[in-house]
């Protein structure tokens, strides 16, 4: 793909001479970038000859383009970790030809490493460390100086009062480089390396692992334990050490150049002190290694490397890096994954599927947006139609079998992925294979999963389609036909209170009544809650709400747009009816009653009600936890609504905060300008430019007015931010409080009747509580103090408190 | 430190296409500027039976949908195979271009493209008979908008 520089807007074709004169260096720089980025890709020549050729070209260009070449090489080291050894070989060749360049490169890399660490770019820093390590293999960096850097890294474990995630990262940086460089470092400095090993072992033994249960996709140890990432890597490195660092998976182009490279002079790494810990450092969160396949799963062909083999680690790292580099371009990403070097020796499709699901199910969140993984898997199926779909089906089957111990959040994501995937393949699936779920209680994970999948499939198609695609035996799991339930529909023997009013309101709306007119009509609705006379009739009147909303929704039931229009048109009436908290709660109840067969409609209407400020976020939270919703409490759509509500609240706070920051910036700029103006005015001009003296007073007054307005605006925004944050904190408090109440009730009931607490409902509920923490951890961290003082105190049942403690452990 | 390696990290699904709305009020430059900032997508090759609900479900996968306007036959006022999807943020619309464009809705491969912004009247097909320029329910392979460059 050629990247021609696009001329500026409106400049098309003009000044061609200028372009020609200045374009040459730019074109050469682009060319250099392209050459360097593309080396290692499919080519008619061998990788070795390409590297040799490129080294020659770059060496020749060093006199004129050294700076650019240095920057490009530093960038590929940071951004293309999957091609690590290709670029370290290239640097090795350049160093052999030009010792000074090698030295400058190493210096630039160290500078870059410091910057990435200071900027909280820990994954990039990791790639840089690995790159530096592989440069030892290419005779660019002397092994003893690398070991010295490692010693400084490991000494971070001795620092006091630091978060565990800090020392974790430095240990991880050492361990994760060893597959590449362990052999070389041990050959040169085995005593020092053994000492390091002992230190690391000691650290790993005593570090806290409270966070692990919260991050595991499955709670079961079988068939694959969900290991904490450092534990797994330690086991892999130990095995590698036992195998005397024999590692055959990593592609090492530098081996072919050994005779050239070993003639090169090496550089010593300057002593590197890890930057000190600061409060605004954000270290990577710990994670759990996702495994779903082992050597028994690939029926034929190459065997899958074991879970503690270093090959497994390297393959997974590289596949993750490829996705990280190419996630925006799904076709390229799929192609790059499938052309992984060394793919003939491993069951690549299985690795790819495992890595992709590992990312999709990663807790707290996947590295990329969920829908990307669906699109990527579809592209992979297109490129490997004879093999990948089968692996995917096998994976789906396996995950279905293990639903009983799968984390609820991951089940949600599985439901979304599977239904979306099916919708791209005519919903073809061997449902009969899952007939075992039909004999289970419908709340159990397997039938629940199937039910939720079918509901999502229906949203992407229509009810009859779902009836057609599943066997008749599955009818109990088919979602309800998404029709509305109008309570004032027919004349029955005992007409409902409000039936007559409903007809009146309906006619009024059909006759294009205004908001005021509707309110007048509604005044006549009796209030079943009130015994004494309420002259104004303005208090909370549930019947009024029911009559109006049921009728309105009924008239607008045709589509989302119709319903949105209706809500917009009668916004005034709705605001009037929901003036109180009870009113807000009741409107949600009525909405639910009317649309209970159409959860999707409920979701979009709740969203609209919040956005138009007819209900607030806390009302939605209270409604979800209300006894009326107990029946649907474990249904997926309810949690989608709650999390969507929390996100809206968060975005609202962010928006106002941004407005405040922008206003403050504006004021600062204004004040700076004022100072400049004053300097301008007082310096010479007062003496030499009398007309400015006249206008000086006006100018000063104008700028004062502007400043005054800005300051007022800032004050208002400040109040707005505080009020929004207060609302946000309150929302989380309400949610957590309700969870605690529900869970405590259950735990107490079980204890008093001697029943096991671990019911299906309990697992679901406690994992939903975990989900609140995980999905919104950044915001919740702001309110930890309040949460600990008010809610998550030592008096709480330890089952509930454990969730809170695991959450705290995520950033310790 | 931060050079971006333009040669490598393309984002081609998000690029604007060749299509320009002939009825757009303004010049090419203005239209392109709007397309590059837009949060609205044109969606084509829908089945005539595809509902707003289905569109909402699918496009919500890349972010919160602000509104959907189903394209109508100008004469019959029935769905005629296209719609507009507007997001609250550009980023969400970009993810739709990256991951929903070219996948299936209602068994048909749909095509999304940037739109300069919905204006009243644009929900009607501009074909001679009232539907789209080209009967998209028949042609499935080509993006119908490729032909809509030329005024009818």
């Amino acid at each position: 793909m050629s990247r021609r520089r696009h001329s500026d807007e409106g400049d098309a074709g003009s000044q061609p001479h200028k372009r020609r004169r200045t374009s040459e260096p730019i074109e050469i720089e682009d060319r250099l970038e392209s050459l360097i980025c593309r080396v290692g890709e499919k080519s008619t020549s061998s990788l070795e000859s390409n590297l040799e050729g490129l080294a020659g070209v770059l060496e020749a260009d060093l006199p004129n383009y050294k700076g650019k070449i240095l920057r490009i090489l530093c960038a590929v080291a940071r951004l293309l970790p999957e091609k690590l050894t290709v670029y370290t070989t290239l640097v090795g060749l350049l160093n052999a030809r030009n010792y000074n360049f090698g030295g400058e490169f190493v210096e630039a890399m160290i500078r870059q490493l410091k910057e990435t660490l200071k900027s909280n770019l820990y994954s990039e820093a990791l790639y840089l460390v690995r790159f530096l390590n592989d440069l030892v293999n290419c005779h660019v960096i002397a092994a003893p100086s690398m070991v010295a850097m490692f010693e400084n890294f490991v000494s971070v474990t001795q620092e006091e009062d630091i978060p565990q995630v800090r020392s974790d990262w430095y240990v991880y940086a050492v361990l994760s480089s060893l597959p590449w460089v362990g052999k070389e470092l041990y050959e040169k400095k085995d005593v020092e390396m053994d000492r390091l090993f002992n230190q690391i072992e000691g650290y790993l033994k005593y570090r806290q692992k409270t966070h692990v249960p919260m991050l595991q996709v499955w709670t079961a140890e079988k068939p694959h334990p969900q290991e904490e990432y450092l534990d797994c890597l330690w086991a892999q490195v130990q095995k590698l050490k036992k195998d005397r660092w024999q590692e055959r998976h990593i592609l090492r182009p530098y081996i072919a150049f050994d005779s050239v490279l070993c003639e090169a002079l090496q550089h010593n790494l300057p002593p590197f002190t890890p930057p000190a810990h600061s409060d605004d450092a954000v270290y990577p969160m710990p994670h759990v290694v996702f495994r779903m396949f082992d050597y028994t799963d690939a029926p034929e062909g190459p065997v899958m490397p074991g879970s503690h083999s270093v090959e497994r680690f390297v393959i997974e790292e590289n596949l993750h890096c490829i996705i990280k580099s190419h996630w925006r371009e799904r076709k390229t990403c799929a192609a790059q994954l499938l052309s992984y070097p060394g793919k003939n020796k491993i069951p690549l499709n299985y690795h790819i599927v495992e890595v992709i699901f590992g990312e999709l199910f990663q807790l707290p969140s996947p590295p990329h947006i969920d829908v990307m993984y669906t699109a990527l898997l579809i592209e992979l199926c297109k490129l490997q139609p004879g093999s990948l779909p089968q692996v995917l089906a096998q994976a789906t089957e396996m995950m279905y079998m293990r639903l009983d111990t799968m984390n609820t959040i991951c089940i949600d994501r599985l439901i979304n992925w599977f239904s979306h995937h099916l919708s791209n393949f005519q919903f073809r699936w061997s449902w009969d294979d899952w007939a075992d779920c039909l004999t289970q209680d419908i709340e159990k994970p397997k039938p629940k999963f199937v039910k939720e999948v079918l509901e999502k499939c229906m949203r992407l198609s229509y009810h009859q389609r779902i009836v057609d695609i599943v066997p008749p035996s599955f009818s109990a799991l088919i979602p309800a036909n998404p029709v509305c339930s109008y309570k004032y529909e027919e004349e029955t023997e005992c007409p409902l209170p409000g039936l007559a009013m409903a007809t009146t309101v309906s006619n009024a709306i059909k006759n294009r009544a205004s908001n005021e007119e509707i309110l007048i009509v509604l005044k006549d609705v009796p209030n079943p809650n009130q015994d004494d006379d309420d002259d104004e009739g303005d208090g909370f009147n549930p019947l009024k709400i029911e009559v109006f909303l049921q009728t309105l929704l009924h008239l607008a039931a045709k589509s989302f747009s119709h319903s949105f229009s209706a809500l917009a048109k009668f916004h005034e009436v709705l605001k009037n009816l929901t003036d109180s908290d009870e009113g807000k709660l009741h409107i949600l109840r009525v909405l639910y009653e009317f649309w209970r067969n159409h959860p999707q409609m409920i979701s979009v209407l709740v969203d609209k009600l919040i956005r138009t400020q007819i209900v607030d976020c806390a009302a939605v939270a209270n409604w979800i936890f209300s006894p009326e919703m107990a029946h649907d409490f474990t249904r997926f759509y309810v949690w989608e609504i709650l999390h969507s509500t929390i996100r809206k609240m968060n975005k609202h706070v962010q928006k106002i905060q941004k407005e405040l920051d922008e206003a403050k910036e504006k004021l600062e700029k204004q004040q700076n300008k004022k100072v400049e103006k004053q300097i301008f005015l007082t310096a010479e001009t007062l003496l030499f430019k009398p007309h400015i003296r006249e206008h000086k007073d006006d100018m000063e007054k104008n700028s004062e007015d502007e400043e005054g307005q800005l300051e007022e605006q800032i004050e208002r925004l400040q109040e707005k931010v505080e009020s929004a944050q207060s609302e946000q904190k309150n929302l989380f408090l309400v949610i957590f409080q309700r969870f605690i109440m529900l869970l405590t009730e259950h735990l107490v009931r079980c204890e008093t009747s001697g029943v096991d607490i671990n019911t299906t409902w309990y697992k679901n509920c406690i994992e939903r509580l975990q989900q609140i923490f995980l999905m919104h951890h950044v915001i919740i961290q702001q309110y930890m103090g309040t949460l600990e003082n008010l809610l998550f105190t030592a008096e709480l049942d330890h089952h509930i408190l454990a969730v809170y403690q695991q959450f705290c452990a995520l950033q310790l | 430190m931060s050079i971006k390696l333009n040669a490598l990290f393309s984002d081609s699904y998000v690029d604007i296409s060749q299509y320009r709305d002939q009825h757009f009020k303004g010049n090419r430059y203005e239209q392109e500027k709007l397309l590059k900032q837009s949060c609205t997508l044109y969606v084509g090759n829908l089945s005539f039976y595809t509902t707003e609900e289905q569109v909402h479900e699918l496009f919500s996968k890349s972010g919160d949908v602000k509104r959907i306007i189903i394209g109508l036959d100008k004469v019959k006022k029935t769905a005629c195979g296209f719609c507009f999807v507007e997001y609250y943020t550009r980023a969400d619309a970009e993810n739709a271009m990256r991951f929903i464009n070219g996948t299936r809705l209602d068994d048909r491969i749909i095509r999304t493209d940037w739109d300069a912004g919905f204006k009243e009247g644009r929900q009607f097909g501009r074909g001679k008979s009232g539907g789209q320029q080209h009967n998209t329910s028949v042609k499935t392979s080509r993006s119908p908008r490729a032909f809509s460059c030329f005024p009818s």
Side-chain angles (χ1 to χ4, degrees), chain B residues 19 22-23 42 80 82 125-136 144-145 147-152:
Chain B
Y19 175 85
Q22 296 299 312
H23 293 204
Y42 162 91
C80 68
F82 73 98
R126 296 175 185 163
K128 287 209 175 83
S129 57
Q132 287 208 269
Q133 296 275 13
H134 281 264
N135 186 351
T136 63
R145 296 199 91 193
F147 295 109
S148 314
C149 289
F150 307 102
S152 56

Side-chain angles (χ1 to χ4, degrees), chain B residues 96-116:
Chain B
M97 289 289 283
R98 291 182 190 116
F99 308 122
I100 299 177
N101 183 16
T103 66
R104 287 184 194 267
L105 176 57
D106 224 3
D107 290 323
R108 295 165 66 94
I109 293 187
I110 57 168
R111 300 253 170 255
T112 66
D113 196 4
W114 292 109
D115 187 83

Side-chain angles (χ1 to χ4, degrees), chain B residues 6-143:
Chain B
N6 296 317
L8 213 59
F9 296 126
S10 67
D11 199 358
S12 62
Y13 285 88
V14 162
D15 291 341
I16 64 175
S17 71
Q18 306 288 4
Y19 175 85
R20 297 292 175 269
D21 182 2
Q22 296 299 312
H23 293 204
F24 177 78
K25 302 243 175 346
N27 64 33
R28 279 288 145 118
Y29 166 66
E30 284 163 358
Q31 194 174 160
E32 279 171 32
K33 187 158 177 249
L34 286 177
L35 291 175
K36 287 180 185 163
Q37 304 166 336
S38 173
C39 300
T40 306
L41 301 179
Y42 162 91
V43 184
N45 203 38
L46 298 179
S47 140
F48 286 12
Y49 301 101
T50 300
T51 61
E52 188 186 347
E53 284 80 346
Q54 291 165 322
V55 172
H56 193 279
E57 177 69 14
L58 181 61
F59 283 84
S60 293
K61 290 181 186 296
S62 74
D64 291 338
V65 170
K66 190 170 174 183
R67 68 174 165 166
I68 293 168
I69 297 133
I70 299 283
L72 302 174
D73 182 301
K74 194 163 189 160
V75 173
K76 297 184 236 166
K77 302 293 198 294
T78 52
C80 68
F82 73 98
C83 73
F84 295 99
V85 175
E86 188 186 342
Y87 289 92
Y88 289 98
T89 70
R90 167 90 184 176
D92 292 344
E94 287 182 350
N95 277 332
M97 289 289 283
R98 291 182 190 116
F99 308 122
I100 299 177
N101 183 16
T103 66
R104 287 184 194 267
L105 176 57
D106 224 3
D107 290 323
R108 295 165 66 94
I109 293 187
I110 57 168
R111 300 253 170 255
T112 66
D113 196 4
W114 292 109
D115 187 83
F118 177 74
K119 290 218 164 14
E120 185 52 43
R122 298 191 66 236
Q123 71 269 43
F124 296 109
R126 296 175 185 163
K128 287 209 175 83
S129 57
Q132 287 208 269
Q133 296 275 13
H134 281 264
N135 186 351
T136 63
S137 67
V138 171
K139 285 190 170 55
T140 52
S141 52
R142 276 240 202 79
S143 164

